[in-house]
Amino acid sequence: MSFTNWEQRNTPAVFPYRKCAALIVEKGTLKPGDQVICDLGGPQGVRMQHYEENLFNFRLAITRDGLPVGYAGDAAMKVTGGALRKLRVAAPGIVGLGETFPLEVVPLDEWVSLARDHRGLRLRIVSGRVTGGAFRYEDDLMHYVARDLRADEEGVLRIVVEADEGRARGVSNPIWVRRRPERRVYYGELHQHTYLHDGRGVFEELYLYGRRVGLLDFAAVTPHHMPMSVTGPSFHLGDKRWPSENWPALAKATKLMNGWEGLVTILGYEYSVGTEAGGHHNIYYGADEAPSTMQLDPSDPMAPIAKMLKTLRLAQVPTLVIPHIGGGPPDWSHAPDLRVERLFEVASVHGVFEESWQKHLEAGLRQGVIAAGDTHTTSMGIAYPGLNFVMSNGLAGVYSVSKSRRDIWDALNQRRTFACSGNQRALLEFELNGEPMGGEISSRLTPQAEIRARVSGTAAILRFELLKNSRVIHALYPCRAGGKLLRVVWGDNLYQRRAAVGLREGQLRPETGRLRLREPVHLDQAFEYVLQDGTGIRWKTAAVSNDRDGFLVDISEAGGESLLFRLDDSDTLGLFEVKIPLAQLAREGWFHWRAPAQRPLRHAYMQ
Protein backbone atom coordinates (compact mmCIF):
# COMPACT_ATOMS: atom_id res chain seq x y z
CA MET A 1 0.00 0.00 0.00
CA SER A 2 1.24 3.51 -0.76
CA PHE A 3 -0.23 6.45 1.08
CA THR A 4 0.18 10.15 0.34
CA ASN A 5 -1.30 12.52 2.88
CA TRP A 6 -2.23 15.73 1.07
CA GLU A 7 -3.43 17.53 4.20
CA GLN A 8 -1.32 20.34 5.61
CA ARG A 9 -2.22 19.49 9.19
CA ASN A 10 -4.23 16.61 10.53
CA THR A 11 -6.66 16.80 13.42
CA PRO A 12 -5.63 15.69 15.90
CA ALA A 13 -1.96 16.60 15.64
CA VAL A 14 0.41 13.98 17.05
CA PHE A 15 3.62 15.55 18.34
CA PRO A 16 6.13 16.00 16.78
CA TYR A 17 4.26 15.69 13.47
CA ARG A 18 1.66 17.86 11.86
CA LYS A 19 0.47 15.00 9.64
CA CYS A 20 -0.44 11.38 10.24
CA ALA A 21 -2.13 8.30 8.82
CA ALA A 22 -5.21 7.15 10.73
CA LEU A 23 -6.29 3.56 11.36
CA ILE A 24 -9.89 3.50 12.56
CA VAL A 25 -11.31 0.61 14.58
CA GLU A 26 -14.71 0.28 12.93
CA LYS A 27 -15.87 -2.93 14.61
CA GLY A 28 -15.15 -4.23 18.08
CA THR A 29 -12.61 -2.76 20.48
CA LEU A 30 -8.94 -3.00 21.30
CA LYS A 31 -8.13 -4.18 24.81
CA PRO A 32 -4.89 -4.29 26.81
CA GLY A 33 -2.61 -6.99 25.45
CA ASP A 34 -3.85 -6.75 21.85
CA GLN A 35 -1.19 -6.26 19.18
CA VAL A 36 -1.27 -3.90 16.20
CA ILE A 37 1.46 -4.86 13.70
CA CYS A 38 2.71 -2.30 11.16
CA ASP A 39 5.03 -3.59 8.42
CA LEU A 40 6.73 -0.67 6.68
CA GLY A 41 7.77 -1.97 3.30
CA GLY A 42 9.01 -5.38 4.38
CA PRO A 43 12.69 -6.30 3.90
CA GLN A 44 13.22 -3.74 1.12
CA GLY A 45 12.13 -0.77 3.24
CA VAL A 46 9.86 2.10 2.31
CA ARG A 47 10.15 5.70 1.17
CA MET A 48 8.79 7.67 4.12
CA GLN A 49 9.74 11.31 3.52
CA HIS A 50 11.87 13.47 1.27
CA TYR A 51 14.54 14.40 3.84
CA GLU A 52 16.99 12.35 5.84
CA GLU A 53 16.70 12.20 9.61
CA ASN A 54 18.78 10.49 12.28
CA LEU A 55 15.84 10.03 14.64
CA PHE A 56 12.51 9.37 12.96
CA ASN A 57 9.81 8.47 15.48
CA PHE A 58 7.23 6.06 14.12
CA ARG A 59 4.66 6.94 16.74
CA LEU A 60 1.39 5.23 17.54
CA ALA A 61 -1.16 7.45 19.25
CA ILE A 62 -4.59 6.49 20.53
CA THR A 63 -7.20 9.20 20.00
CA ARG A 64 -10.75 9.76 21.10
CA ASP A 65 -13.03 12.63 20.06
CA GLY A 66 -10.21 14.36 18.20
CA LEU A 67 -7.63 14.34 21.03
CA PRO A 68 -4.73 12.00 21.86
CA VAL A 69 -5.57 10.02 25.00
CA GLY A 70 -2.60 7.67 25.01
CA TYR A 71 0.55 6.60 23.21
CA ALA A 72 1.39 3.01 22.33
CA GLY A 73 5.11 3.68 21.99
CA ASP A 74 7.67 4.69 19.37
CA ALA A 75 9.81 2.83 16.90
CA ALA A 76 13.01 4.84 16.44
CA MET A 77 14.32 4.77 12.87
CA LYS A 78 16.96 6.45 10.75
CA VAL A 79 15.89 7.84 7.38
CA THR A 80 18.76 7.99 4.89
CA GLY A 81 19.17 9.73 1.58
CA GLY A 82 18.62 7.99 -1.74
CA ALA A 83 20.99 7.17 -4.57
CA LEU A 84 23.39 9.77 -6.00
CA ARG A 85 21.76 12.03 -8.60
CA LYS A 86 23.60 15.37 -8.56
CA LEU A 87 26.47 17.33 -7.04
CA ARG A 88 26.13 20.52 -5.03
CA VAL A 89 29.19 22.67 -5.72
CA ALA A 90 29.98 25.82 -3.73
CA ALA A 91 32.86 28.27 -3.60
CA PRO A 92 33.29 31.69 -1.95
CA GLY A 93 31.29 34.37 -3.78
CA ILE A 94 34.27 36.72 -4.04
CA VAL A 95 37.94 35.68 -4.12
CA GLY A 96 41.16 37.61 -4.52
CA LEU A 97 43.25 37.38 -7.66
CA GLY A 98 45.90 34.69 -7.18
CA GLU A 99 44.76 33.68 -3.68
CA THR A 100 44.01 30.08 -2.71
CA PHE A 101 40.36 29.27 -2.02
CA PRO A 102 38.29 26.12 -1.28
CA LEU A 103 35.72 24.37 -3.46
CA GLU A 104 33.22 22.14 -1.62
CA VAL A 105 31.15 19.36 -3.20
CA VAL A 106 28.20 17.53 -1.61
CA PRO A 107 26.76 14.44 -3.36
CA LEU A 108 22.94 14.65 -3.29
CA ASP A 109 19.99 12.40 -4.06
CA GLU A 110 16.97 13.49 -6.12
CA TRP A 111 15.41 15.15 -3.04
CA VAL A 112 18.60 17.17 -2.27
CA SER A 113 19.46 15.06 0.77
CA LEU A 114 22.96 13.70 1.29
CA ALA A 115 23.21 10.67 -1.03
CA ARG A 116 23.58 7.39 0.84
CA ASP A 117 26.40 6.36 -1.54
CA HIS A 118 28.33 9.62 -1.14
CA ARG A 119 31.68 8.08 -0.13
CA GLY A 120 34.40 6.84 -2.46
CA LEU A 121 33.70 9.14 -5.41
CA ARG A 122 36.38 10.32 -7.82
CA LEU A 123 35.87 14.03 -8.51
CA ARG A 124 37.48 16.23 -11.11
CA ILE A 125 37.04 19.77 -12.41
CA VAL A 126 35.94 19.70 -16.04
CA SER A 127 35.38 23.42 -16.63
CA GLY A 128 36.51 26.67 -15.02
CA ARG A 129 39.62 28.83 -15.38
CA VAL A 130 41.32 27.68 -12.18
CA THR A 131 44.36 25.71 -11.11
CA GLY A 132 44.31 23.06 -8.41
CA GLY A 133 41.46 20.67 -7.72
CA ALA A 134 42.86 17.98 -5.40
CA PHE A 135 39.63 16.76 -3.76
CA ARG A 136 39.64 14.94 -0.43
CA TYR A 137 36.72 13.48 1.48
CA GLU A 138 36.65 15.15 4.91
CA ASP A 139 35.04 12.98 7.57
CA ASP A 140 33.86 15.80 9.83
CA LEU A 141 32.18 17.64 6.96
CA MET A 142 30.94 14.43 5.29
CA HIS A 143 31.68 15.85 1.84
CA TYR A 144 34.56 16.61 -0.52
CA VAL A 145 36.78 19.68 -0.43
CA ALA A 146 39.56 20.92 -2.71
CA ARG A 147 41.48 23.56 -0.77
CA ASP A 148 44.06 24.39 -3.42
CA LEU A 149 42.10 26.30 -6.07
CA ARG A 150 43.44 29.54 -7.51
CA ALA A 151 42.23 31.94 -10.19
CA ASP A 152 44.80 34.04 -12.05
CA GLU A 153 42.38 36.13 -14.14
CA GLU A 154 39.87 38.73 -12.99
CA GLY A 155 36.25 38.19 -13.99
CA VAL A 156 33.40 35.77 -13.32
CA LEU A 157 34.00 32.06 -12.74
CA ARG A 158 31.64 29.09 -12.71
CA ILE A 159 33.29 25.76 -11.96
CA VAL A 160 31.88 22.46 -13.23
CA VAL A 161 32.69 19.30 -11.27
CA GLU A 162 32.10 15.73 -12.40
CA ALA A 163 31.97 12.50 -10.37
CA ASP A 164 33.10 9.07 -11.61
CA GLU A 165 33.47 10.00 -15.29
CA GLY A 166 30.05 11.56 -15.68
CA ARG A 167 27.96 9.66 -13.13
CA ALA A 168 26.89 13.02 -11.67
CA ARG A 169 27.92 16.63 -12.10
CA GLY A 170 27.28 20.07 -10.69
CA VAL A 171 28.02 23.72 -11.38
CA SER A 172 29.25 26.14 -8.75
CA ASN A 173 27.75 29.46 -7.81
CA PRO A 174 29.16 32.45 -9.74
CA ILE A 175 32.50 33.64 -8.34
CA TRP A 176 33.83 37.17 -8.75
CA VAL A 177 37.63 37.27 -8.98
CA ARG A 178 38.92 40.69 -7.93
CA ARG A 179 42.36 42.15 -7.53
CA ARG A 180 41.87 43.51 -4.00
CA PRO A 181 38.37 42.80 -2.63
CA GLU A 182 37.44 44.99 0.34
CA ARG A 183 34.49 42.84 1.38
CA ARG A 184 33.48 39.26 0.74
CA VAL A 185 30.01 37.76 0.22
CA TYR A 186 28.74 35.11 2.64
CA TYR A 187 25.51 33.13 2.50
CA GLY A 188 23.38 32.17 5.47
CA GLU A 189 20.09 30.73 6.67
CA LEU A 190 18.48 32.61 9.58
CA HIS A 191 15.12 30.84 9.93
CA GLN A 192 15.10 27.15 10.89
CA HIS A 193 12.48 25.39 13.02
CA THR A 194 12.92 22.44 15.37
CA TYR A 195 11.16 19.52 17.01
CA LEU A 196 9.74 21.85 19.69
CA HIS A 197 6.70 22.70 17.60
CA ASP A 198 5.96 21.66 14.01
CA GLY A 199 9.55 21.28 12.82
CA ARG A 200 12.12 18.52 13.04
CA GLY A 201 15.64 18.13 14.38
CA VAL A 202 17.48 19.15 17.54
CA PHE A 203 19.63 22.26 17.82
CA GLU A 204 23.16 20.89 17.39
CA GLU A 205 22.13 18.46 14.66
CA LEU A 206 20.52 21.23 12.62
CA TYR A 207 23.67 23.35 12.78
CA LEU A 208 25.75 20.34 11.73
CA TYR A 209 23.50 19.65 8.75
CA GLY A 210 23.50 23.31 7.75
CA ARG A 211 27.28 23.28 7.50
CA ARG A 212 27.74 19.76 6.11
CA VAL A 213 25.02 19.65 3.46
CA GLY A 214 23.62 23.19 3.35
CA LEU A 215 27.19 24.57 3.01
CA LEU A 216 26.17 27.62 5.05
CA ASP A 217 28.55 30.37 6.12
CA PHE A 218 26.24 31.55 8.94
CA ALA A 219 23.06 30.20 10.49
CA ALA A 220 20.41 30.63 13.18
CA VAL A 221 18.09 27.98 14.63
CA THR A 222 14.85 29.80 15.48
CA PRO A 223 12.14 27.82 17.33
CA HIS A 224 8.67 29.27 17.88
CA HIS A 225 8.77 31.21 21.14
CA MET A 226 5.80 29.70 22.99
CA PRO A 227 6.76 25.99 22.63
CA MET A 228 10.38 26.93 23.32
CA SER A 229 9.85 28.80 26.57
CA VAL A 230 6.24 28.89 27.77
CA THR A 231 3.98 25.99 26.84
CA GLY A 232 6.79 23.53 26.14
CA PRO A 233 6.81 21.17 23.14
CA SER A 234 3.49 20.60 21.42
CA PHE A 235 3.05 17.26 23.19
CA HIS A 236 -0.16 16.68 25.07
CA LEU A 237 -2.62 14.13 26.32
CA GLY A 238 -6.10 15.55 26.13
CA ASP A 239 -5.78 19.07 27.50
CA LYS A 240 -2.66 18.38 29.58
CA ARG A 241 0.65 20.04 28.63
CA TRP A 242 4.15 19.98 30.06
CA PRO A 243 5.60 23.54 30.12
CA SER A 244 9.37 23.76 29.81
CA GLU A 245 12.11 26.34 29.25
CA ASN A 246 14.42 25.44 26.34
CA TRP A 247 16.00 28.85 25.70
CA PRO A 248 19.17 28.12 27.76
CA ALA A 249 19.73 24.89 25.79
CA LEU A 250 19.43 26.77 22.49
CA ALA A 251 21.88 29.44 23.67
CA LYS A 252 24.32 26.73 24.76
CA ALA A 253 24.10 24.88 21.43
CA THR A 254 24.45 28.10 19.42
CA LYS A 255 27.56 29.08 21.37
CA LEU A 256 29.01 25.57 21.06
CA MET A 257 28.59 25.46 17.27
CA ASN A 258 29.92 28.95 16.57
CA GLY A 259 33.17 28.57 14.65
CA TRP A 260 32.79 24.84 13.93
CA GLU A 261 34.36 24.28 10.50
CA GLY A 262 33.99 28.01 9.85
CA LEU A 263 30.25 28.20 10.61
CA VAL A 264 29.03 31.42 12.25
CA THR A 265 25.99 30.89 14.47
CA ILE A 266 23.56 33.56 15.69
CA LEU A 267 21.19 33.23 18.65
CA GLY A 268 17.52 33.81 17.90
CA TYR A 269 13.92 32.62 17.93
CA GLU A 270 10.62 33.31 16.17
CA TYR A 271 8.14 35.54 17.98
CA SER A 272 4.77 34.43 16.60
CA VAL A 273 1.62 36.44 17.21
CA GLY A 274 -1.39 37.02 14.98
CA THR A 275 -1.46 39.70 12.31
CA GLU A 276 -3.76 41.87 14.42
CA ALA A 277 -0.99 41.94 17.06
CA GLY A 278 1.77 42.63 14.52
CA GLY A 279 2.45 39.23 12.97
CA HIS A 280 5.47 36.94 12.87
CA HIS A 281 8.92 38.41 13.58
CA ASN A 282 12.26 36.74 14.25
CA ILE A 283 14.41 38.11 17.08
CA TYR A 284 18.22 37.83 16.95
CA TYR A 285 20.92 38.66 19.49
CA GLY A 286 24.48 39.73 18.83
CA ALA A 287 25.73 37.86 21.91
CA ASP A 288 26.24 34.33 23.23
CA GLU A 289 23.59 34.80 25.91
CA ALA A 290 20.67 37.18 26.38
CA PRO A 291 17.27 37.18 28.09
CA SER A 292 14.32 36.37 25.86
CA THR A 293 11.25 38.60 25.77
CA MET A 294 9.37 35.79 27.55
CA GLN A 295 11.83 36.06 30.44
CA LEU A 296 11.79 39.86 30.42
CA ASP A 297 7.98 40.02 30.48
CA PRO A 298 6.66 36.63 31.69
CA SER A 299 3.19 38.05 32.34
CA ASP A 300 2.60 38.82 28.65
CA PRO A 301 4.46 36.32 26.41
CA MET A 302 2.10 37.06 23.49
CA ALA A 303 2.41 40.84 23.67
CA PRO A 304 1.72 42.83 20.49
CA ILE A 305 4.81 43.64 18.44
CA ALA A 306 4.94 47.30 19.52
CA LYS A 307 5.03 46.30 23.20
CA MET A 308 7.48 43.46 22.52
CA LEU A 309 9.88 45.93 20.87
CA LYS A 310 9.88 48.05 24.02
CA THR A 311 10.45 44.99 26.19
CA LEU A 312 13.34 43.90 23.98
CA ARG A 313 15.27 47.07 24.83
CA LEU A 314 15.71 45.67 28.35
CA ALA A 315 17.90 42.86 26.99
CA GLN A 316 20.87 45.27 26.94
CA VAL A 317 22.58 43.48 24.04
CA PRO A 318 22.56 44.20 20.27
CA THR A 319 19.33 42.93 18.71
CA LEU A 320 17.65 42.66 15.32
CA VAL A 321 13.96 42.05 14.62
CA ILE A 322 13.06 40.74 11.15
CA PRO A 323 9.42 40.32 10.01
CA HIS A 324 8.35 37.54 7.66
CA ILE A 325 5.35 35.93 6.01
CA GLY A 326 4.63 32.74 7.92
CA GLY A 327 1.66 31.34 9.79
CA GLY A 328 0.79 34.93 10.72
CA PRO A 329 1.93 37.67 8.32
CA PRO A 330 3.57 40.85 9.65
CA ASP A 331 1.68 44.11 9.95
CA TRP A 332 3.46 47.35 9.04
CA SER A 333 1.25 49.73 11.05
CA HIS A 334 2.71 49.11 14.53
CA ALA A 335 4.89 51.69 16.27
CA PRO A 336 8.34 50.78 14.88
CA ASP A 337 11.81 50.71 16.37
CA LEU A 338 14.08 51.64 13.47
CA ARG A 339 17.18 50.74 15.48
CA VAL A 340 16.37 47.02 15.37
CA GLU A 341 13.88 46.64 12.48
CA ARG A 342 16.60 46.83 9.86
CA LEU A 343 15.71 43.94 7.53
CA PHE A 344 12.74 42.13 5.96
CA GLU A 345 12.56 38.44 5.03
CA VAL A 346 11.34 38.78 1.45
CA ALA A 347 11.43 35.11 0.39
CA SER A 348 11.26 31.68 2.03
CA VAL A 349 9.77 28.23 1.41
CA HIS A 350 6.39 30.01 1.62
CA GLY A 351 7.09 32.06 -1.54
CA VAL A 352 8.27 35.57 -2.50
CA PHE A 353 6.73 38.59 -0.77
CA GLU A 354 8.00 41.74 -2.42
CA GLU A 355 4.58 43.43 -2.15
CA SER A 356 4.62 43.13 1.63
CA TRP A 357 8.17 44.51 1.80
CA GLN A 358 7.09 47.50 -0.29
CA LYS A 359 4.24 48.13 2.17
CA HIS A 360 6.75 48.20 5.02
CA LEU A 361 8.92 50.69 3.11
CA GLU A 362 5.93 52.90 2.33
CA ALA A 363 5.08 52.90 6.06
CA GLY A 364 8.48 54.46 6.81
CA LEU A 365 10.48 51.37 7.78
CA ARG A 366 13.94 51.51 6.18
CA GLN A 367 14.48 47.81 5.71
CA GLY A 368 16.97 45.94 3.61
CA VAL A 369 16.16 42.40 2.57
CA ILE A 370 17.23 38.86 3.24
CA ALA A 371 15.74 35.54 2.20
CA ALA A 372 15.58 32.51 4.48
CA GLY A 373 14.04 29.09 4.87
CA ASP A 374 11.34 29.02 7.52
CA THR A 375 12.31 25.38 7.12
CA HIS A 376 10.38 22.77 9.11
CA THR A 377 12.43 19.68 8.18
CA THR A 378 15.97 18.69 9.17
CA SER A 379 17.36 20.04 5.88
CA MET A 380 18.83 23.29 7.15
CA GLY A 381 20.17 25.37 4.29
CA ILE A 382 18.98 23.01 1.54
CA ALA A 383 15.26 22.35 1.97
CA TYR A 384 13.12 20.44 -0.50
CA PRO A 385 9.66 22.08 -0.23
CA GLY A 386 7.41 19.01 -0.10
CA LEU A 387 3.61 19.10 -0.06
CA ASN A 388 3.26 22.10 2.27
CA PHE A 389 5.61 24.64 0.73
CA VAL A 390 6.08 26.05 -2.75
CA MET A 391 9.84 26.45 -3.23
CA SER A 392 13.25 25.70 -1.77
CA ASN A 393 14.61 27.78 1.08
CA GLY A 394 16.00 31.22 0.43
CA LEU A 395 19.41 32.49 1.49
CA ALA A 396 20.67 35.76 2.94
CA GLY A 397 23.67 37.21 1.14
CA VAL A 398 25.81 39.65 3.14
CA TYR A 399 28.83 41.81 2.35
CA SER A 400 31.24 41.48 5.26
CA VAL A 401 34.92 42.20 5.82
CA SER A 402 35.37 38.71 7.32
CA LYS A 403 33.49 35.57 8.28
CA SER A 404 33.29 36.24 12.01
CA ARG A 405 30.16 36.66 14.09
CA ARG A 406 30.99 40.30 14.83
CA ASP A 407 31.49 41.21 11.16
CA ILE A 408 28.50 39.18 9.92
CA TRP A 409 26.35 40.88 12.58
CA ASP A 410 27.63 44.32 11.55
CA ALA A 411 26.81 43.55 7.91
CA LEU A 412 23.25 42.55 8.83
CA ASN A 413 22.81 45.61 11.02
CA GLN A 414 24.16 47.90 8.27
CA ARG A 415 21.81 46.27 5.72
CA ARG A 416 24.71 45.22 3.48
CA THR A 417 22.46 42.40 2.36
CA PHE A 418 20.56 40.90 -0.55
CA ALA A 419 18.09 38.05 -0.92
CA CYS A 420 18.41 34.85 -2.96
CA SER A 421 15.26 32.77 -3.46
CA GLY A 422 15.18 29.09 -4.37
CA ASN A 423 18.52 28.35 -2.64
CA GLN A 424 20.44 29.97 -5.51
CA ARG A 425 23.71 31.74 -4.67
CA ALA A 426 23.51 34.75 -6.96
CA LEU A 427 25.79 37.78 -6.62
CA LEU A 428 24.45 41.34 -6.48
CA GLU A 429 26.21 44.66 -6.04
CA PHE A 430 24.52 48.07 -5.90
CA GLU A 431 25.88 51.56 -5.19
CA LEU A 432 24.35 55.03 -5.25
CA ASN A 433 26.96 57.79 -5.56
CA GLY A 434 29.52 55.42 -4.09
CA GLU A 435 27.38 54.46 -1.07
CA PRO A 436 26.87 50.67 -1.00
CA MET A 437 23.56 48.92 -0.42
CA GLY A 438 22.08 49.56 3.00
CA GLY A 439 23.54 53.05 3.29
CA GLU A 440 21.72 56.38 3.47
CA ILE A 441 22.60 59.66 1.77
CA SER A 442 20.95 63.08 1.85
CA SER A 443 18.78 63.80 -1.19
CA ARG A 444 19.09 67.53 -0.46
CA LEU A 445 22.88 67.37 -0.63
CA THR A 446 22.89 64.94 -3.58
CA PRO A 447 20.87 66.50 -6.40
CA GLN A 448 22.06 63.96 -8.99
CA ALA A 449 22.17 60.19 -8.57
CA GLU A 450 24.78 57.97 -10.16
CA ILE A 451 23.91 54.30 -9.85
CA ARG A 452 26.25 51.38 -10.36
CA ALA A 453 24.91 47.82 -10.23
CA ARG A 454 26.23 44.39 -11.11
CA VAL A 455 24.66 40.95 -10.91
CA SER A 456 25.73 37.40 -11.74
CA GLY A 457 23.16 34.64 -11.53
CA THR A 458 22.98 30.87 -11.61
CA ALA A 459 21.04 31.04 -14.90
CA ALA A 460 20.35 33.61 -17.60
CA ILE A 461 19.29 37.01 -16.19
CA LEU A 462 15.82 37.79 -17.53
CA ARG A 463 15.03 41.15 -15.98
CA PHE A 464 16.57 44.01 -14.00
CA GLU A 465 14.23 46.49 -12.33
CA LEU A 466 15.13 49.72 -10.54
CA LEU A 467 12.46 50.90 -8.11
CA LYS A 468 11.94 54.27 -6.45
CA ASN A 469 9.16 54.68 -3.90
CA SER A 470 7.80 51.24 -4.83
CA ARG A 471 7.57 52.08 -8.53
CA VAL A 472 9.70 50.73 -11.36
CA ILE A 473 11.58 53.65 -12.92
CA HIS A 474 13.96 51.68 -15.14
CA ALA A 475 14.10 48.12 -16.44
CA LEU A 476 16.37 46.01 -18.62
CA TYR A 477 15.48 42.73 -20.34
CA PRO A 478 18.71 41.17 -21.63
CA CYS A 479 17.06 37.95 -22.87
CA ARG A 480 14.29 39.47 -24.97
CA ALA A 481 14.60 38.81 -28.68
CA GLY A 482 12.45 37.96 -31.67
CA GLY A 483 13.62 34.36 -31.94
CA LYS A 484 11.71 31.10 -31.91
CA LEU A 485 12.48 29.91 -28.37
CA LEU A 486 9.78 31.15 -25.99
CA ARG A 487 9.90 31.17 -22.20
CA VAL A 488 6.42 30.83 -20.68
CA VAL A 489 5.88 31.41 -16.94
CA TRP A 490 2.83 32.06 -14.78
CA GLY A 491 1.88 32.44 -11.12
CA ASP A 492 -0.25 34.26 -8.57
CA ASN A 493 0.52 36.40 -5.52
CA LEU A 494 -2.01 34.81 -3.19
CA TYR A 495 0.29 34.41 -0.21
CA GLN A 496 0.56 31.09 1.58
CA ARG A 497 -1.32 28.90 -0.83
CA ARG A 498 0.19 25.53 -0.05
CA ALA A 499 1.64 23.39 -2.82
CA ALA A 500 -0.69 20.48 -2.08
CA VAL A 501 -3.81 22.65 -2.49
CA GLY A 502 -2.38 24.94 -5.17
CA LEU A 503 -1.78 22.29 -7.85
CA ARG A 504 -3.47 23.44 -11.04
CA GLU A 505 -3.66 22.13 -14.60
CA GLY A 506 -3.08 24.14 -17.74
CA GLN A 507 -2.17 23.95 -21.40
CA LEU A 508 -0.68 25.96 -24.24
CA ARG A 509 -1.94 25.27 -27.78
CA PRO A 510 -1.17 26.72 -31.22
CA GLU A 511 -4.03 27.62 -33.55
CA THR A 512 -2.32 25.54 -36.24
CA GLY A 513 0.98 23.72 -36.49
CA ARG A 514 2.73 22.48 -33.35
CA LEU A 515 4.80 23.47 -30.35
CA ARG A 516 7.87 21.54 -29.23
CA LEU A 517 8.73 21.42 -25.53
CA ARG A 518 12.40 22.09 -24.80
CA GLU A 519 12.47 21.85 -21.01
CA PRO A 520 10.51 22.77 -17.87
CA VAL A 521 11.80 25.67 -15.74
CA HIS A 522 11.40 26.46 -12.04
CA LEU A 523 9.67 23.22 -11.09
CA ASP A 524 10.28 22.76 -7.36
CA GLN A 525 8.41 19.52 -6.71
CA ALA A 526 8.62 15.93 -7.92
CA PHE A 527 4.83 15.86 -8.34
CA GLU A 528 4.84 18.86 -10.71
CA TYR A 529 5.16 18.17 -14.43
CA VAL A 530 5.21 19.81 -17.87
CA LEU A 531 4.66 17.45 -20.82
CA GLN A 532 4.42 17.45 -24.60
CA ASP A 533 0.78 16.74 -25.43
CA GLY A 534 0.29 16.22 -29.15
CA THR A 535 0.77 19.58 -30.85
CA GLY A 536 0.69 21.49 -27.56
CA ILE A 537 1.98 21.51 -23.99
CA ARG A 538 0.13 20.61 -20.79
CA TRP A 539 1.14 20.86 -17.15
CA LYS A 540 0.20 20.46 -13.52
CA THR A 541 2.14 22.68 -11.13
CA ALA A 542 1.76 24.74 -7.96
CA ALA A 543 2.69 28.23 -9.21
CA VAL A 544 1.40 30.06 -6.14
CA SER A 545 2.58 32.66 -3.63
CA ASN A 546 4.71 34.40 -6.28
CA ASP A 547 6.38 31.16 -7.32
CA ARG A 548 6.81 31.21 -11.10
CA ASP A 549 6.62 27.87 -12.90
CA GLY A 550 7.00 27.44 -16.63
CA PHE A 551 8.89 25.98 -19.57
CA LEU A 552 10.91 26.72 -22.69
CA VAL A 553 9.12 25.93 -25.94
CA ASP A 554 10.08 26.06 -29.62
CA ILE A 555 7.38 28.00 -31.52
CA SER A 556 9.00 27.85 -34.98
CA GLU A 557 6.27 25.49 -36.27
CA ALA A 558 3.33 27.33 -34.69
CA GLY A 559 0.81 28.84 -37.12
CA GLY A 560 -2.14 31.18 -36.92
CA GLU A 561 -2.33 34.47 -35.06
CA SER A 562 -2.04 33.38 -31.43
CA LEU A 563 -1.00 30.80 -28.90
CA LEU A 564 -3.87 29.79 -26.61
CA PHE A 565 -2.95 29.74 -22.89
CA ARG A 566 -5.40 28.14 -20.45
CA LEU A 567 -5.04 27.81 -16.65
CA ASP A 568 -7.83 26.20 -14.65
CA ASP A 569 -7.98 27.66 -11.13
CA SER A 570 -11.78 27.61 -11.04
CA ASP A 571 -12.20 26.84 -7.35
CA THR A 572 -10.07 29.77 -6.15
CA LEU A 573 -9.08 32.52 -8.59
CA GLY A 574 -10.96 31.56 -11.74
CA LEU A 575 -10.53 30.04 -15.20
CA PHE A 576 -8.02 32.02 -17.23
CA GLU A 577 -7.86 31.84 -21.03
CA VAL A 578 -5.43 34.17 -22.77
CA LYS A 579 -4.43 34.65 -26.40
CA ILE A 580 -0.70 35.30 -26.85
CA PRO A 581 -0.22 37.16 -30.17
CA LEU A 582 2.55 35.66 -32.29
CA ALA A 583 3.01 38.95 -34.15
CA GLN A 584 3.87 40.78 -30.91
CA LEU A 585 6.32 38.06 -29.92
CA ALA A 586 8.06 38.39 -33.28
CA ARG A 587 8.03 42.20 -33.19
CA GLU A 588 8.81 42.96 -29.53
CA GLY A 589 10.08 39.69 -28.09
CA TRP A 590 7.63 39.56 -25.16
CA PHE A 591 4.03 39.42 -23.99
CA HIS A 592 2.79 40.10 -20.46
CA TRP A 593 -0.71 39.66 -19.05
CA ARG A 594 -2.13 40.12 -15.58
CA ALA A 595 -5.62 40.29 -14.10
CA PRO A 596 -7.34 40.31 -10.71
CA ALA A 597 -9.08 37.22 -9.42
CA GLN A 598 -12.42 36.53 -11.09
CA ARG A 599 -14.10 36.17 -7.71
CA PRO A 600 -13.87 38.38 -4.60
CA LEU A 601 -11.02 37.44 -2.29
CA ARG A 602 -10.25 38.89 1.10
CA HIS A 603 -6.50 38.63 1.21
CA ALA A 604 -5.24 38.60 4.78
CA TYR A 605 -1.88 40.14 3.96
CA MET A 606 -2.39 42.66 1.19
CA GLN A 607 -4.47 45.77 0.65
Side-chain angles (χ1 to χ4, degrees), residues 17 85 190 194 252 308 310 363 382 397 415 431 434 481 507 577 600:
Y17 302 107
R85 289 290 184 270
L190 294 175
T194 77
K252 181 180 179 181
M308 180 275 289
K310 293 181 179 179
I382 184 167
R415 300 172 297 208
E431 291 184 357
Q507 55 183 276
E577 295 180 315

Side-chain angles (χ1 to χ4, degrees), residues 20 57 112 145 147-148 174 229-230 232 241 263 269 489 531 537 543:
C20 59
N57 305 98
V112 297
V145 186
R147 299 188 179 274
D148 61 343
S229 292
V230 182
R241 290 181 177 271
L263 178 68
Y269 60 92
V489 294
L531 301 173
I537 313 295

Side-chain angles (χ1 to χ4, degrees), residues 32 81 90 149 181 200 253 276 287 339 368 403 430 486 552 560 565 572-574 583 607:
L149 269 68
R200 299 296 297 140
E276 68 284 351
R339 294 168 296 184
K403 193 168 65 169
F430 185 90
L486 179 66
L552 298 178
F565 176 93
T572 305
L573 297 176
Q607 293 179 343

